[in-house]
Amino acid sequence: MKKTMIAIAVSILMIFTYPALFYADHHEGHSGSWEDLNKLSDTALQLSKQSRFEESIQLVEYFSREFEEMTKHNESISAAQIRTISSSQHTALDTLQEKNNTPDEKVRSLIQLRLVVDAMVSEHQPLWVSMEDQIMTVFANLIGDVENKDHQSFEQDWSEFVSLYEMIYPSIMMDTDTKQVQRIDAHISVVEDSVFKQIPLESKVNQLSLMEEELQNLFDRIKEDEADPSLLWVMISTGSIILLSLSYTGWRKFKGEKEKANRERDMNK
């Protein structure tokens, strides 16, 4: 019982001192790397999921200082990329500090920051692509709402779609073709225009179907572009090694059985 109480006390102590330890670790081994910023954004997000918003605010403020310092003499990052990440950081901080915002809104603002930093550093599939199922499911619901003439559900699902799309928007600006993003933005403008409510049902479905196709192309193109050629090489190499091993094993087994048959034949002579 005593050991259990000690373990609980240690766990509680670690939970409340985690942000402080995080700061200490970064100051002690400060390198100003993208890995540091990735960890900062992820830790801020995890704390927000525990409703520890004040600590999240501290980490986002620290992130801002680290990011500004890192980009001062870093020519590998463009001005557009700096603006995109800075905008997400400011959005997250403003959302966290606004007391009237819901916990969900605060968490989503940090998801946006987490995703855009990952999009900057990921060499292969970025994290925002993992939201494909969630976004495409909501969009499929939108088409169903229109077909069923369920205006209330459509408004709710559209609001959810826009919220999800806003979370990945800075990331897709970093990763995808600007023209493709502009086409999706144009589709959104059409749906949000008051005229959309007045057009025939078939036209609404066609408009949403075109937008759905454009969204799917967005995810598919990233998955195709981000396929790791080195991974493909490893798979081919591994397959070749396994094939050779199996062939060699089969050959040895055949040779052994043949030698055994020869010995038995000699003994029977």
Side-chain angles (χ1 to χ4, degrees):
M1 179 68 179
K2 186 176 180 182
K3 290 182 178 179
T4 303
M5 293 299 293
I6 292 173
I8 293 173
V10 170
S11 299
I12 293 172
L13 181 64
M14 289 182 69
I15 289 172
F16 283 97
T17 58
Y18 183 70
L21 291 172
F22 189 91
Y23 285 130
D25 177 64
H26 274 68
H27 282 293
E28 185 177 340
H30 174 68
S31 62
S33 68
W34 282 110
E35 184 180 354
D36 291 333
L37 296 178
N38 232 350
K39 289 178 181 178
L40 277 169
S41 61
D42 184 58
T43 305
L45 172 59
Q46 299 310 319
L47 288 171
S48 72
K49 290 180 178 179
Q50 301 170 33
S51 297
R52 295 163 63 181
F53 297 116
E54 289 302 319
E55 292 161 281
S56 292
I57 289 173
Q58 293 173 27
L59 284 181
V60 174
E61 290 174 338
Y62 182 59
F63 174 97
S64 178
R65 295 193 295 270
E66 289 290 285
F67 180 66
E68 183 179 357
E69 186 65 28
M70 193 189 80
T71 54
K72 277 182 180 179
H73 309 291
N74 190 340
E75 297 181 358
S76 64
I77 179 172
S78 69
Q81 290 170 328
I82 292 174
R83 286 194 300 270
T84 300
I85 295 175
S86 295
S87 176
S88 292
Q89 179 265 315
H90 287 304
T91 298
L93 191 58
D94 291 344
T95 305
L96 287 168
Q97 291 175 332
E98 176 54 60
K99 294 182 179 179
N100 293 328
N101 285 334
T102 65
D104 184 61
E105 289 173 327
K106 294 178 180 181
V107 170
R108 289 190 177 209
S109 71
L110 284 168
I111 291 175
Q112 184 193 79
L113 178 62
R114 174 74 180 94
L115 294 178
V116 74
V117 175
D118 174 79
M120 182 66 201
V121 301
S122 292
E123 295 182 3
H124 307 301
Q125 275 202 20
L127 282 175
W128 68 266
V129 178
S130 65
M131 295 188 65
E132 175 185 356
D133 288 343
Q134 193 174 357
I135 289 175
M136 299 311 296
T137 297
V138 171
F139 206 87
N141 291 341
L142 283 169
I143 296 177
D145 294 336
V146 170
E147 292 174 335
N148 295 326
K149 299 181 180 179
D150 190 337
H151 304 297
Q152 185 175 356
S153 292
F154 179 85
E155 293 298 328
Q156 292 173 350
D157 287 330
W158 180 256
S159 178
E160 175 65 9
F161 164 73
V162 170
S163 178
L164 292 172
Y165 185 69
E166 286 177 349
M167 277 198 288
I168 69 169
Y169 190 80
S171 302
I172 64 177
M173 290 295 292
M174 302 276 276
D175 277 341
T176 61
D177 179 37
T178 304
K179 291 182 179 179
Q180 189 171 19
V181 179
Q182 290 174 344
R183 288 197 296 271
I184 295 174
D185 289 347
H187 283 298
I188 291 174
S189 297
V190 169
V191 176
E192 291 186 335
D193 194 292
S194 57
V195 176
F196 182 78
K197 295 179 181 179
Q198 302 171 16
I199 63 176
L201 187 147
E202 185 178 352
S203 298
K204 289 180 182 178
V205 172
N206 289 338
Q207 174 62 42
L208 290 172
S209 296
L210 288 172
M211 185 175 173
E212 182 181 38
E213 184 178 345
E214 198 70 60
L215 282 167
Q216 190 61 61
N217 289 338
L218 178 74
F219 289 107
D220 290 344
R221 183 172 180 180
I222 286 295
K223 286 185 288 187
E224 290 171 2
D225 291 347
E226 299 296 338
D228 183 3
S230 63
L231 179 61
L232 180 61
W233 181 86
V234 170
M235 291 171 66
I236 293 172
S237 301
T238 305
S240 300
I241 292 169
I242 292 172
L243 183 61
L244 287 171
S245 298
L246 290 172
S247 300
Y248 178 68
T249 302
W251 176 79
R252 287 194 62 183
K253 183 178 179 182
F254 170 76
K255 184 180 179 183
E257 290 177 349
K258 186 176 181 180
E259 289 176 350
K260 181 180 177 182
N262 289 336
R263 287 198 301 269
E264 290 176 351
R265 188 172 61 250
D266 292 340
M267 288 176 63
N268 293 329
K269 285 183 177 179

